[in-house]
Amino acid sequence: MSGKLNVVGISGSLSAPSRTLSLVQFATERLGRELDARVQVVDVSRLPQLGLMRSREAAGREETAAFAAVEAADLLVIGSPVYKGSYSGLFKHFIDFVDYGGLVGKPVALLATGGSERHALVIEHQLRPLFAFFQAQPLGTGLFLTEREWSGSALIGEPAEQRFERLVHEAVSVVRHATLPLAIAAE
Ligand SMILES: Cc1cc2nc3c(=O)[nH]c(=O)nc-3n(C[C@H](O)[C@H](O)[C@H](O)COP(=O)(O)O)c2cc1C
């Protein structure tokens, strides 16, 4: 097994094509490059058993692999479309089966897409408390984008670009500092 880090994205969108999925892929790939890490994106809409699951034991092969990847990640990059002022129900359904202790201390980049800037605080009021429940480590900078700032393949405008760069900087420094004591301890 190589010593490479793992950056894992989760897209909570039900759409195809999806602006949320493309944003999660964009951010995950960039962070993977910065950290020289392996990258993987979980698209919850493509997990065949997820919608029918009432317990983790009911997970199929693809769901089991997705939960394992998320719980083993060194950095999570999560994104959801805003649905009725919150994250999507399917995103929450996926997160409901993540192991209670599986995200403790894990850095999490919080992303969301929406139709209206009025709902930008979905990051602070919905996503941040969800990951606080897991005692994860959400980054200070989150990214909420409407179609005015995310084309589906590129950030539009300086404010969005600057915010994204700040998120990348925070993520990289948190992950590097998190691994440093472990590397020292292993020597
Ligand atoms: C069922 C539903 C509910 C939505 N509710 C909101 C909302 O409350 N606030 C908002 O800003 N956008 C809302 N939207 C718009 C989506 O958040 C927005 O179009 C998002 O970027 C879609 O991402 P996607 O391409 O990944 O599906 C809603 C869309 C749907 C389908």
Side-chain angles (χ1 to χ4, degrees), residues 23-159:
L23 179 63
V24 169
Q25 284 169 332
F26 175 84
T28 304
E29 281 162 20
R30 168 67 188 279
L31 286 161
R33 284 197 301 278
E34 293 287 337
L35 291 161
D36 189 25
R38 281 188 293 247
V39 297
Q40 179 181 341
V41 173
V42 173
D43 176 355
V44 298
S45 73
R46 297 183 71 93
L47 295 175
Q49 297 298 322
L50 178 62
L52 303 170
M53 282 174 59
R54 286 169 177 74
S55 70
R56 174 98 172 226
E57 288 66 45
R61 188 177 49 82
E62 289 167 61
E63 291 80 15
T64 299
F67 291 125
V70 165
E71 289 161 5
D74 297 288
L75 169 66
L76 286 180
V77 181
I78 68 91
S80 177
V82 186
Y83 283 0
K84 301 295 187 283
S86 187
Y87 34 71
S88 75
L90 195 61
F91 173 74
K92 179 62 161 57
H93 197 57
F94 178 83
I95 295 295
D96 284 344
F97 298 117
V98 170
D99 186 75
Y100 181 78
L103 306 185
V104 174
K106 204 180 288 299
V108 186
L110 304 176
L111 315 176
T113 70
S116 163
E117 271 129 27
R118 280 198 300 275
H119 291 155
L121 286 173
V122 66
I123 301 252
E124 314 309 331
H125 292 176
Q126 307 291 333
L127 286 170
R128 200 173 287 284
L130 177 61
F131 287 91
F133 165 84
F134 284 97
Q135 298 174 49
Q137 205 181 156
L139 303 176
T141 299
L143 200 64
F144 172 89
L145 300 173
T146 68
E147 62 190 1
R148 297 216 308 230
E149 292 185 299
W150 175 244
S151 71
S153 58
L155 295 162
I156 304 166
E158 218 170 288

